Amino acid sequence: MDRIEAMRVFVAAMDEGSLAGAGRRLNRSPAAVSRAIAFLEDHVGAELLHRTTRSLRLSEAGERYAAACRRILTDLEEADLAALGERSAPRGTLTLSAPPISGEDVLRPVIDAYLEAYPAVSVNLVLLDRHTNLVEEGIDVALRVGQLPDSSLIAVRVGGDVRRVIAAAPRYLDAHPRIAEPADLTQHQIVTTTHFGHDTWVFPPAPGETIARSVRFKPRLVVNSVRAALASAVEGLGVTRLYTYHVAPRVLDGSLRIVLRDAEPPPLPVHLITPQGRTSTPKVRAFLDFAAPRLKAAFAGLSADAEALTGR
């Protein structure tokens, strides 16, 4: 059996979450998929997958091998395109990742327009409330909100005024102690997300001070979905911390109110990031050139809306 083809089956099984899903995606029989996985396991001399009747789970060796397979398959695709002289003709599957709300509301319309402009390209959009490892998870381009660590990633800035704000329903605020400074949050019910701080929120130093204010709390609700946290705050369950563009529509309709405006951290930048060397791939280069100006305009509009709606 061809090892590269077996790697494609292995990666497809991971992406689809099942051997049957990999078979449907690659138009192969379940038996052929099983043989491909068994071939790889025999080749490396280790079990790559823990199988049950309903799910797949990577073994420790499988996690390392999956990351290597993704890199190899990406490099092969890039080599094929370069050899064919296709630098001016984007094609293939472009894998993107983004946070769920900005991915759905901001990035998705740009992707639709990109697909219209480049009919030989297809897109796999992965929406996650966590930072992805682009190389290990096979991501070509990610939309990232926040400061970027020093790394070999290529970054294109597409926004620079996303703020983290504290918000709660007016009826909740009217029934609980006043929130005048960050320390007051310890007296309140907190609705938080794993992405925004599980049990601690950090604020800039108080005027005249140099040490950041760290507020620890026992959350009433922790959820890995911004939309769920937003909905619970609107229902009056407690106080939450989200980005301005998450809460602005709810502030406009009166279902949320912003507090602690004077204690907000500095605004965060928004970037498109891609691994070093990936920009030479036609589909990636074309997407960055196509998406960057459109995302800049979209985030500028969101920032303006948020400023107007939240009263800054």
PDB file of all heavy atoms in Angstrom, residues 42-80:
ATOM      1  N   ASP A  42       1.398  -0.920  11.363  1.00  0.00           N
ATOM      2  CA  ASP A  42       2.406  -1.962  11.166  1.00  0.00           C
ATOM      3  C   ASP A  42       3.743  -1.344  10.758  1.00  0.00           C
ATOM      4  O   ASP A  42       4.810  -1.794  11.202  1.00  0.00           O
ATOM      5  CB  ASP A  42       1.933  -2.948  10.095  1.00  0.00           C
ATOM      6  CG  ASP A  42       2.909  -4.089   9.885  1.00  0.00           C
ATOM      7  OD1 ASP A  42       3.104  -4.875  10.828  1.00  0.00           O
ATOM      8  OD2 ASP A  42       3.481  -4.177   8.788  1.00  0.00           O
ATOM      9  N   HIS A  43       3.678  -0.280   9.954  1.00  0.00           N
ATOM     10  CA  HIS A  43       4.903   0.364   9.482  1.00  0.00           C
ATOM     11  C   HIS A  43       5.660   1.041  10.619  1.00  0.00           C
ATOM     12  O   HIS A  43       6.891   0.914  10.711  1.00  0.00           O
ATOM     13  CB  HIS A  43       4.572   1.394   8.402  1.00  0.00           C
ATOM     14  CG  HIS A  43       5.757   2.161   7.913  1.00  0.00           C
ATOM     15  ND1 HIS A  43       6.671   1.640   7.016  1.00  0.00           N
ATOM     16  CD2 HIS A  43       6.201   3.419   8.222  1.00  0.00           C
ATOM     17  CE1 HIS A  43       7.630   2.530   6.799  1.00  0.00           C
ATOM     18  NE2 HIS A  43       7.365   3.620   7.512  1.00  0.00           N
ATOM     19  N   VAL A  44       4.935   1.767  11.495  1.00  0.00           N
ATOM     20  CA  VAL A  44       5.613   2.494  12.579  1.00  0.00           C
ATOM     21  C   VAL A  44       5.827   1.607  13.802  1.00  0.00           C
ATOM     22  O   VAL A  44       6.572   1.980  14.722  1.00  0.00           O
ATOM     23  CB  VAL A  44       4.830   3.774  12.982  1.00  0.00           C
ATOM     24  CG1 VAL A  44       4.686   4.689  11.800  1.00  0.00           C
ATOM     25  CG2 VAL A  44       3.467   3.421  13.572  1.00  0.00           C
ATOM     26  N   GLY A  45       5.153   0.470  13.856  1.00  0.00           N
ATOM     27  CA  GLY A  45       5.320  -0.445  14.968  1.00  0.00           C
ATOM     28  C   GLY A  45       4.661   0.021  16.250  1.00  0.00           C
ATOM     29  O   GLY A  45       5.132  -0.294  17.350  1.00  0.00           O
ATOM     30  N   ALA A  46       3.569   0.770  16.118  1.00  0.00           N
ATOM     31  CA  ALA A  46       2.867   1.267  17.306  1.00  0.00           C
ATOM     32  C   ALA A  46       1.403   1.492  16.956  1.00  0.00           C
ATOM     33  O   ALA A  46       1.052   1.749  15.800  1.00  0.00           O
ATOM     34  CB  ALA A  46       3.490   2.574  17.807  1.00  0.00           C
ATOM     35  N   GLU A  47       0.559   1.387  17.958  1.00  0.00           N
ATOM     36  CA  GLU A  47      -0.856   1.668  17.769  1.00  0.00           C
ATOM     37  C   GLU A  47      -1.045   3.184  17.634  1.00  0.00           C
ATOM     38  O   GLU A  47      -0.573   3.956  18.475  1.00  0.00           O
ATOM     39  CB  GLU A  47      -1.668   1.152  18.955  1.00  0.00           C
ATOM     40  CG  GLU A  47      -3.172   1.315  18.771  1.00  0.00           C
ATOM     41  CD  GLU A  47      -3.967   0.793  19.970  1.00  0.00           C
ATOM     42  OE1 GLU A  47      -3.488   1.005  21.107  1.00  0.00           O
ATOM     43  OE2 GLU A  47      -5.025   0.203  19.757  1.00  0.00           O
ATOM     44  N   LEU A  48      -1.726   3.628  16.588  1.00  0.00           N
ATOM     45  CA  LEU A  48      -1.946   5.052  16.359  1.00  0.00           C
ATOM     46  C   LEU A  48      -3.307   5.514  16.861  1.00  0.00           C
ATOM     47  O   LEU A  48      -3.475   6.674  17.247  1.00  0.00           O
ATOM     48  CB  LEU A  48      -1.832   5.372  14.860  1.00  0.00           C
ATOM     49  CG  LEU A  48      -0.489   5.056  14.207  1.00  0.00           C
ATOM     50  CD1 LEU A  48      -0.554   5.312  12.713  1.00  0.00           C
ATOM     51  CD2 LEU A  48       0.635   5.864  14.849  1.00  0.00           C
ATOM     52  N   LEU A  49      -4.283   4.618  16.837  1.00  0.00           N
ATOM     53  CA  LEU A  49      -5.653   4.978  17.210  1.00  0.00           C
ATOM     54  C   LEU A  49      -6.202   4.010  18.246  1.00  0.00           C
ATOM     55  O   LEU A  49      -5.975   2.802  18.150  1.00  0.00           O
ATOM     56  CB  LEU A  49      -6.570   4.939  15.984  1.00  0.00           C
ATOM     57  CG  LEU A  49      -6.315   5.936  14.866  1.00  0.00           C
ATOM     58  CD1 LEU A  49      -7.235   5.640  13.693  1.00  0.00           C
ATOM     59  CD2 LEU A  49      -6.525   7.355  15.363  1.00  0.00           C
ATOM     60  N   HIS A  50      -6.921   4.567  19.214  1.00  0.00           N
ATOM     61  CA  HIS A  50      -7.740   3.753  20.106  1.00  0.00           C
ATOM     62  C   HIS A  50      -9.153   3.789  19.539  1.00  0.00           C
ATOM     63  O   HIS A  50      -9.779   4.843  19.480  1.00  0.00           O
ATOM     64  CB  HIS A  50      -7.718   4.320  21.525  1.00  0.00           C
ATOM     65  CG  HIS A  50      -6.355   4.361  22.144  1.00  0.00           C
ATOM     66  ND1 HIS A  50      -5.532   3.251  22.229  1.00  0.00           N
ATOM     67  CD2 HIS A  50      -5.663   5.382  22.707  1.00  0.00           C
ATOM     68  CE1 HIS A  50      -4.402   3.577  22.819  1.00  0.00           C
ATOM     69  NE2 HIS A  50      -4.443   4.872  23.118  1.00  0.00           N
ATOM     70  N   ARG A  51      -9.666   2.644  19.111  1.00  0.00           N
ATOM     71  CA  ARG A  51     -10.952   2.583  18.429  1.00  0.00           C
ATOM     72  C   ARG A  51     -12.031   2.053  19.368  1.00  0.00           C
ATOM     73  O   ARG A  51     -11.806   1.119  20.131  1.00  0.00           O
ATOM     74  CB  ARG A  51     -10.879   1.677  17.209  1.00  0.00           C
ATOM     75  CG  ARG A  51      -9.800   2.031  16.207  1.00  0.00           C
ATOM     76  CD  ARG A  51      -9.625   0.883  15.219  1.00  0.00           C
ATOM     77  NE  ARG A  51      -8.628   1.097  14.214  1.00  0.00           N
ATOM     78  CZ  ARG A  51      -7.325   0.936  14.380  1.00  0.00           C
ATOM     79  NH1 ARG A  51      -6.858   0.567  15.560  1.00  0.00           N
ATOM     80  NH2 ARG A  51      -6.484   1.130  13.380  1.00  0.00           N
ATOM     81  N   THR A  52     -13.216   2.663  19.288  1.00  0.00           N
ATOM     82  CA  THR A  52     -14.417   2.094  19.884  1.00  0.00           C
ATOM     83  C   THR A  52     -15.449   2.010  18.775  1.00  0.00           C
ATOM     84  O   THR A  52     -15.198   2.434  17.648  1.00  0.00           O
ATOM     85  CB  THR A  52     -14.948   2.962  21.045  1.00  0.00           C
ATOM     86  OG1 THR A  52     -15.477   4.186  20.508  1.00  0.00           O
ATOM     87  CG2 THR A  52     -13.853   3.287  22.048  1.00  0.00           C
ATOM     88  N   THR A  53     -16.616   1.486  19.105  1.00  0.00           N
ATOM     89  CA  THR A  53     -17.649   1.379  18.079  1.00  0.00           C
ATOM     90  C   THR A  53     -18.175   2.745  17.662  1.00  0.00           C
ATOM     91  O   THR A  53     -18.767   2.891  16.595  1.00  0.00           O
ATOM     92  CB  THR A  53     -18.829   0.525  18.585  1.00  0.00           C
ATOM     93  OG1 THR A  53     -19.325   1.095  19.812  1.00  0.00           O
ATOM     94  CG2 THR A  53     -18.389  -0.907  18.835  1.00  0.00           C
ATOM     95  N   ARG A  54     -17.943   3.782  18.497  1.00  0.00           N
ATOM     96  CA  ARG A  54     -18.522   5.087  18.201  1.00  0.00           C
ATOM     97  C   ARG A  54     -17.509   6.205  17.991  1.00  0.00           C
ATOM     98  O   ARG A  54     -17.870   7.285  17.534  1.00  0.00           O
ATOM     99  CB  ARG A  54     -19.475   5.506  19.332  1.00  0.00           C
ATOM    100  CG  ARG A  54     -20.671   4.593  19.486  1.00  0.00           C
ATOM    101  CD  ARG A  54     -21.636   5.140  20.528  1.00  0.00           C
ATOM    102  NE  ARG A  54     -22.812   4.305  20.658  1.00  0.00           N
ATOM    103  CZ  ARG A  54     -23.820   4.555  21.489  1.00  0.00           C
ATOM    104  NH1 ARG A  54     -23.772   5.637  22.264  1.00  0.00           N
ATOM    105  NH2 ARG A  54     -24.866   3.753  21.540  1.00  0.00           N
ATOM    106  N   SER A  55     -16.254   5.995  18.349  1.00  0.00           N
ATOM    107  CA  SER A  55     -15.311   7.105  18.269  1.00  0.00           C
ATOM    108  C   SER A  55     -13.889   6.616  18.054  1.00  0.00           C
ATOM    109  O   SER A  55     -13.586   5.422  18.194  1.00  0.00           O
ATOM    110  CB  SER A  55     -15.373   7.954  19.542  1.00  0.00           C
ATOM    111  OG  SER A  55     -14.912   7.195  20.658  1.00  0.00           O
ATOM    112  N   LEU A  56     -13.034   7.584  17.718  1.00  0.00           N
ATOM    113  CA  LEU A  56     -11.606   7.346  17.582  1.00  0.00           C
ATOM    114  C   LEU A  56     -10.865   8.285  18.526  1.00  0.00           C
ATOM    115  O   LEU A  56     -11.284   9.414  18.743  1.00  0.00           O
ATOM    116  CB  LEU A  56     -11.145   7.650  16.152  1.00  0.00           C
ATOM    117  CG  LEU A  56     -11.713   6.821  15.014  1.00  0.00           C
ATOM    118  CD1 LEU A  56     -11.172   7.357  13.688  1.00  0.00           C
ATOM    119  CD2 LEU A  56     -11.329   5.357  15.166  1.00  0.00           C
ATOM    120  N   ARG A  57      -9.753   7.814  19.050  1.00  0.00           N
ATOM    121  CA  ARG A  57      -8.913   8.657  19.894  1.00  0.00           C
ATOM    122  C   ARG A  57      -7.465   8.347  19.590  1.00  0.00           C
ATOM    123  O   ARG A  57      -7.061   7.198  19.522  1.00  0.00           O
ATOM    124  CB  ARG A  57      -9.222   8.409  21.374  1.00  0.00           C
ATOM    125  CG  ARG A  57      -8.439   9.308  22.328  1.00  0.00           C
ATOM    126  CD  ARG A  57      -9.022   9.209  23.733  1.00  0.00           C
ATOM    127  NE  ARG A  57      -9.013   7.837  24.234  1.00  0.00           N
ATOM    128  CZ  ARG A  57      -7.967   7.277  24.862  1.00  0.00           C
ATOM    129  NH1 ARG A  57      -6.848   7.976  25.039  1.00  0.00           N
ATOM    130  NH2 ARG A  57      -8.044   6.030  25.297  1.00  0.00           N
ATOM    131  N   LEU A  58      -6.686   9.393  19.373  1.00  0.00           N
ATOM    132  CA  LEU A  58      -5.277   9.207  19.069  1.00  0.00           C
ATOM    133  C   LEU A  58      -4.525   8.679  20.281  1.00  0.00           C
ATOM    134  O   LEU A  58      -4.738   9.133  21.404  1.00  0.00           O
ATOM    135  CB  LEU A  58      -4.654  10.529  18.638  1.00  0.00           C
ATOM    136  CG  LEU A  58      -4.989  11.040  17.230  1.00  0.00           C
ATOM    137  CD1 LEU A  58      -4.515  12.483  17.085  1.00  0.00           C
ATOM    138  CD2 LEU A  58      -4.367  10.161  16.169  1.00  0.00           C
ATOM    139  N   SER A  59      -3.631   7.738  20.025  1.00  0.00           N
ATOM    140  CA  SER A  59      -2.696   7.318  21.064  1.00  0.00           C
ATOM    141  C   SER A  59      -1.618   8.388  21.202  1.00  0.00           C
ATOM    142  O   SER A  59      -1.559   9.347  20.415  1.00  0.00           O
ATOM    143  CB  SER A  59      -2.055   5.984  20.694  1.00  0.00           C
ATOM    144  OG  SER A  59      -1.236   6.152  19.543  1.00  0.00           O
ATOM    145  N   GLU A  60      -0.741   8.237  22.177  1.00  0.00           N
ATOM    146  CA  GLU A  60       0.354   9.202  22.324  1.00  0.00           C
ATOM    147  C   GLU A  60       1.231   9.212  21.074  1.00  0.00           C
ATOM    148  O   GLU A  60       1.609  10.270  20.569  1.00  0.00           O
ATOM    149  CB  GLU A  60       1.186   8.861  23.561  1.00  0.00           C
ATOM    150  CG  GLU A  60       2.290   9.875  23.856  1.00  0.00           C
ATOM    151  CD  GLU A  60       3.032   9.560  25.146  1.00  0.00           C
ATOM    152  OE1 GLU A  60       2.513   8.764  25.956  1.00  0.00           O
ATOM    153  OE2 GLU A  60       4.132  10.112  25.326  1.00  0.00           O
ATOM    154  N   ALA A  61       1.540   8.024  20.563  1.00  0.00           N
ATOM    155  CA  ALA A  61       2.316   7.943  19.322  1.00  0.00           C
ATOM    156  C   ALA A  61       1.518   8.500  18.151  1.00  0.00           C
ATOM    157  O   ALA A  61       2.066   9.151  17.247  1.00  0.00           O
ATOM    158  CB  ALA A  61       2.714   6.496  19.046  1.00  0.00           C
ATOM    159  N   GLY A  62       0.200   8.278  18.167  1.00  0.00           N
ATOM    160  CA  GLY A  62      -0.650   8.767  17.094  1.00  0.00           C
ATOM    161  C   GLY A  62      -0.694  10.278  17.018  1.00  0.00           C
ATOM    162  O   GLY A  62      -0.759  10.861  15.928  1.00  0.00           O
ATOM    163  N   GLU A  63      -0.657  10.955  18.181  1.00  0.00           N
ATOM    164  CA  GLU A  63      -0.661  12.413  18.184  1.00  0.00           C
ATOM    165  C   GLU A  63       0.571  12.973  17.482  1.00  0.00           C
ATOM    166  O   GLU A  63       0.482  13.897  16.676  1.00  0.00           O
ATOM    167  CB  GLU A  63      -0.737  12.934  19.621  1.00  0.00           C
ATOM    168  CG  GLU A  63      -2.078  12.688  20.294  1.00  0.00           C
ATOM    169  CD  GLU A  63      -2.107  13.219  21.714  1.00  0.00           C
ATOM    170  OE1 GLU A  63      -1.069  13.753  22.170  1.00  0.00           O
ATOM    171  OE2 GLU A  63      -3.165  13.095  22.367  1.00  0.00           O
ATOM    172  N   ARG A  64       1.728  12.394  17.792  1.00  0.00           N
ATOM    173  CA  ARG A  64       2.958  12.855  17.138  1.00  0.00           C
ATOM    174  C   ARG A  64       2.946  12.525  15.647  1.00  0.00           C
ATOM    175  O   ARG A  64       3.349  13.339  14.811  1.00  0.00           O
ATOM    176  CB  ARG A  64       4.173  12.211  17.806  1.00  0.00           C
ATOM    177  CG  ARG A  64       4.388  12.624  19.262  1.00  0.00           C
ATOM    178  CD  ARG A  64       5.751  12.161  19.770  1.00  0.00           C
ATOM    179  NE  ARG A  64       5.882  10.708  19.731  1.00  0.00           N
ATOM    180  CZ  ARG A  64       5.553   9.907  20.746  1.00  0.00           C
ATOM    181  NH1 ARG A  64       5.064  10.422  21.870  1.00  0.00           N
ATOM    182  NH2 ARG A  64       5.713   8.603  20.647  1.00  0.00           N
ATOM    183  N   TYR A  65       2.450  11.339  15.331  1.00  0.00           N
ATOM    184  CA  TYR A  65       2.453  10.916  13.934  1.00  0.00           C
ATOM    185  C   TYR A  65       1.461  11.727  13.104  1.00  0.00           C
ATOM    186  O   TYR A  65       1.741  12.075  11.947  1.00  0.00           O
ATOM    187  CB  TYR A  65       2.122   9.426  13.853  1.00  0.00           C
ATOM    188  CG  TYR A  65       2.456   8.798  12.523  1.00  0.00           C
ATOM    189  CD1 TYR A  65       3.782   8.636  12.134  1.00  0.00           C
ATOM    190  CD2 TYR A  65       1.455   8.353  11.679  1.00  0.00           C
ATOM    191  CE1 TYR A  65       4.099   8.044  10.913  1.00  0.00           C
ATOM    192  CE2 TYR A  65       1.759   7.762  10.456  1.00  0.00           C
ATOM    193  CZ  TYR A  65       3.077   7.620  10.075  1.00  0.00           C
ATOM    194  OH  TYR A  65       3.392   7.051   8.878  1.00  0.00           O
ATOM    195  N   ALA A  66       0.307  12.080  13.684  1.00  0.00           N
ATOM    196  CA  ALA A  66      -0.692  12.873  12.966  1.00  0.00           C
ATOM    197  C   ALA A  66      -0.138  14.239  12.603  1.00  0.00           C
ATOM    198  O   ALA A  66      -0.349  14.732  11.485  1.00  0.00           O
ATOM    199  CB  ALA A  66      -1.958  13.017  13.812  1.00  0.00           C
ATOM    200  N   ALA A  67       0.576  14.878  13.548  1.00  0.00           N
ATOM    201  CA  ALA A  67       1.173  16.188  13.267  1.00  0.00           C
ATOM    202  C   ALA A  67       2.187  16.076  12.128  1.00  0.00           C
ATOM    203  O   ALA A  67       2.237  16.938  11.232  1.00  0.00           O
ATOM    204  CB  ALA A  67       1.834  16.750  14.522  1.00  0.00           C
ATOM    205  N   ALA A  68       2.989  15.026  12.146  1.00  0.00           N
ATOM    206  CA  ALA A  68       3.986  14.838  11.090  1.00  0.00           C
ATOM    207  C   ALA A  68       3.308  14.584   9.748  1.00  0.00           C
ATOM    208  O   ALA A  68       3.739  15.107   8.707  1.00  0.00           O
ATOM    209  CB  ALA A  68       4.910  13.681  11.449  1.00  0.00           C
ATOM    210  N   CYS A  69       2.234  13.790   9.751  1.00  0.00           N
ATOM    211  CA  CYS A  69       1.512  13.504   8.508  1.00  0.00           C
ATOM    212  C   CYS A  69       0.937  14.776   7.893  1.00  0.00           C
ATOM    213  O   CYS A  69       0.998  14.972   6.673  1.00  0.00           O
ATOM    214  CB  CYS A  69       0.391  12.496   8.762  1.00  0.00           C
ATOM    215  SG  CYS A  69       0.947  10.807   9.041  1.00  0.00           S
ATOM    216  N   ARG A  70       0.376  15.629   8.726  1.00  0.00           N
ATOM    217  CA  ARG A  70      -0.188  16.887   8.206  1.00  0.00           C
ATOM    218  C   ARG A  70       0.899  17.740   7.552  1.00  0.00           C
ATOM    219  O   ARG A  70       0.687  18.319   6.481  1.00  0.00           O
ATOM    220  CB  ARG A  70      -0.869  17.659   9.331  1.00  0.00           C
ATOM    221  CG  ARG A  70      -2.134  17.020   9.851  1.00  0.00           C
ATOM    222  CD  ARG A  70      -2.824  17.940  10.850  1.00  0.00           C
ATOM    223  NE  ARG A  70      -3.893  17.271  11.566  1.00  0.00           N
ATOM    224  CZ  ARG A  70      -5.120  17.095  11.089  1.00  0.00           C
ATOM    225  NH1 ARG A  70      -5.425  17.545   9.886  1.00  0.00           N
ATOM    226  NH2 ARG A  70      -6.046  16.482  11.806  1.00  0.00           N
ATOM    227  N   ARG A  71       2.056  17.825   8.188  1.00  0.00           N
ATOM    228  CA  ARG A  71       3.152  18.616   7.610  1.00  0.00           C
ATOM    229  C   ARG A  71       3.606  18.024   6.279  1.00  0.00           C
ATOM    230  O   ARG A  71       3.835  18.741   5.302  1.00  0.00           O
ATOM    231  CB  ARG A  71       4.330  18.672   8.581  1.00  0.00           C
ATOM    232  CG  ARG A  71       4.084  19.531   9.812  1.00  0.00           C
ATOM    233  CD  ARG A  71       5.386  19.836  10.538  1.00  0.00           C
ATOM    234  NE  ARG A  71       6.051  18.629  11.018  1.00  0.00           N
ATOM    235  CZ  ARG A  71       5.839  18.092  12.210  1.00  0.00           C
ATOM    236  NH1 ARG A  71       4.966  18.648  13.044  1.00  0.00           N
ATOM    237  NH2 ARG A  71       6.485  17.009  12.591  1.00  0.00           N
ATOM    238  N   ILE A  72       3.735  16.701   6.240  1.00  0.00           N
ATOM    239  CA  ILE A  72       4.202  16.038   5.011  1.00  0.00           C
ATOM    240  C   ILE A  72       3.212  16.252   3.874  1.00  0.00           C
ATOM    241  O   ILE A  72       3.604  16.595   2.746  1.00  0.00           O
ATOM    242  CB  ILE A  72       4.415  14.537   5.275  1.00  0.00           C
ATOM    243  CG1 ILE A  72       5.624  14.333   6.189  1.00  0.00           C
ATOM    244  CG2 ILE A  72       4.592  13.772   3.958  1.00  0.00           C
ATOM    245  CD1 ILE A  72       5.744  12.925   6.734  1.00  0.00           C
ATOM    246  N   LEU A  73       1.927  16.077   4.143  1.00  0.00           N
ATOM    247  CA  LEU A  73       0.916  16.232   3.098  1.00  0.00           C
ATOM    248  C   LEU A  73       0.838  17.665   2.603  1.00  0.00           C
ATOM    249  O   LEU A  73       0.655  17.914   1.403  1.00  0.00           O
ATOM    250  CB  LEU A  73      -0.447  15.765   3.616  1.00  0.00           C
ATOM    251  CG  LEU A  73      -0.559  14.267   3.931  1.00  0.00           C
ATOM    252  CD1 LEU A  73      -1.904  13.948   4.568  1.00  0.00           C
ATOM    253  CD2 LEU A  73      -0.346  13.430   2.666  1.00  0.00           C
ATOM    254  N   THR A  74       0.984  18.633   3.513  1.00  0.00           N
ATOM    255  CA  THR A  74       0.986  20.045   3.114  1.00  0.00           C
ATOM    256  C   THR A  74       2.194  20.346   2.245  1.00  0.00           C
ATOM    257  O   THR A  74       2.089  21.014   1.206  1.00  0.00           O
ATOM    258  CB  THR A  74       0.989  20.952   4.352  1.00  0.00           C
ATOM    259  OG1 THR A  74      -0.214  20.736   5.089  1.00  0.00           O
ATOM    260  CG2 THR A  74       1.064  22.419   3.943  1.00  0.00           C
ATOM    261  N   ASP A  75       3.377  19.859   2.647  1.00  0.00           N
ATOM    262  CA  ASP A  75       4.592  20.095   1.867  1.00  0.00           C
ATOM    263  C   ASP A  75       4.481  19.464   0.485  1.00  0.00           C
ATOM    264  O   ASP A  75       4.941  20.047  -0.521  1.00  0.00           O
ATOM    265  CB  ASP A  75       5.809  19.520   2.598  1.00  0.00           C
ATOM    266  CG  ASP A  75       6.179  20.325   3.833  1.00  0.00           C
ATOM    267  OD1 ASP A  75       5.692  21.473   3.965  1.00  0.00           O
ATOM    268  OD2 ASP A  75       6.941  19.800   4.670  1.00  0.00           O
ATOM    269  N   LEU A  76       3.878  18.288   0.408  1.00  0.00           N
ATOM    270  CA  LEU A  76       3.715  17.625  -0.891  1.00  0.00           C
ATOM    271  C   LEU A  76       2.803  18.433  -1.810  1.00  0.00           C
ATOM    272  O   LEU A  76       3.083  18.587  -3.011  1.00  0.00           O
ATOM    273  CB  LEU A  76       3.149  16.218  -0.698  1.00  0.00           C
ATOM    274  CG  LEU A  76       4.129  15.133  -0.260  1.00  0.00           C
ATOM    275  CD1 LEU A  76       3.382  13.854   0.050  1.00  0.00           C
ATOM    276  CD2 LEU A  76       5.165  14.888  -1.349  1.00  0.00           C
ATOM    277  N   GLU A  77       1.705  18.956  -1.243  1.00  0.00           N
ATOM    278  CA  GLU A  77       0.789  19.754  -2.057  1.00  0.00           C
ATOM    279  C   GLU A  77       1.486  21.001  -2.581  1.00  0.00           C
ATOM    280  O   GLU A  77       1.342  21.360  -3.757  1.00  0.00           O
ATOM    281  CB  GLU A  77      -0.443  20.152  -1.229  1.00  0.00           C
ATOM    282  CG  GLU A  77      -1.457  20.948  -2.029  1.00  0.00           C
ATOM    283  CD  GLU A  77      -2.640  21.385  -1.189  1.00  0.00           C
ATOM    284  OE1 GLU A  77      -2.633  21.139   0.032  1.00  0.00           O
ATOM    285  OE2 GLU A  77      -3.564  21.985  -1.755  1.00  0.00           O
ATOM    286  N   GLU A  78       2.256  21.654  -1.712  1.00  0.00           N
ATOM    287  CA  GLU A  78       2.968  22.854  -2.131  1.00  0.00           C
ATOM    288  C   GLU A  78       4.002  22.528  -3.206  1.00  0.00           C
ATOM    289  O   GLU A  78       4.178  23.277  -4.172  1.00  0.00           O
ATOM    290  CB  GLU A  78       3.636  23.507  -0.926  1.00  0.00           C
ATOM    291  CG  GLU A  78       2.641  24.081   0.075  1.00  0.00           C
ATOM    292  CD  GLU A  78       3.316  24.626   1.316  1.00  0.00           C
ATOM    293  OE1 GLU A  78       4.564  24.605   1.369  1.00  0.00           O
ATOM    294  OE2 GLU A  78       2.595  25.086   2.219  1.00  0.00           O
ATOM    295  N   ALA A  79       4.700  21.405  -3.049  1.00  0.00           N
ATOM    296  CA  ALA A  79       5.698  21.006  -4.037  1.00  0.00           C
ATOM    297  C   ALA A  79       5.052  20.711  -5.385  1.00  0.00           C
ATOM    298  O   ALA A  79       5.576  21.091  -6.444  1.00  0.00           O
ATOM    299  CB  ALA A  79       6.468  19.781  -3.538  1.00  0.00           C
ATOM    300  N   ASP A  80       3.900  20.045  -5.362  1.00  0.00           N
ATOM    301  CA  ASP A  80       3.189  19.738  -6.607  1.00  0.00           C
ATOM    302  C   ASP A  80       2.793  21.019  -7.339  1.00  0.00           C
ATOM    303  O   ASP A  80       2.965  21.141  -8.556  1.00  0.00           O
ATOM    304  CB  ASP A  80       1.950  18.904  -6.312  1.00  0.00           C
ATOM    305  CG  ASP A  80       2.284  17.472  -5.909  1.00  0.00           C
ATOM    306  OD1 ASP A  80       3.438  17.049  -6.137  1.00  0.00           O
ATOM    307  OD2 ASP A  80       1.395  16.798  -5.362  1.00  0.00           O
TER     308      ASP A  80
END
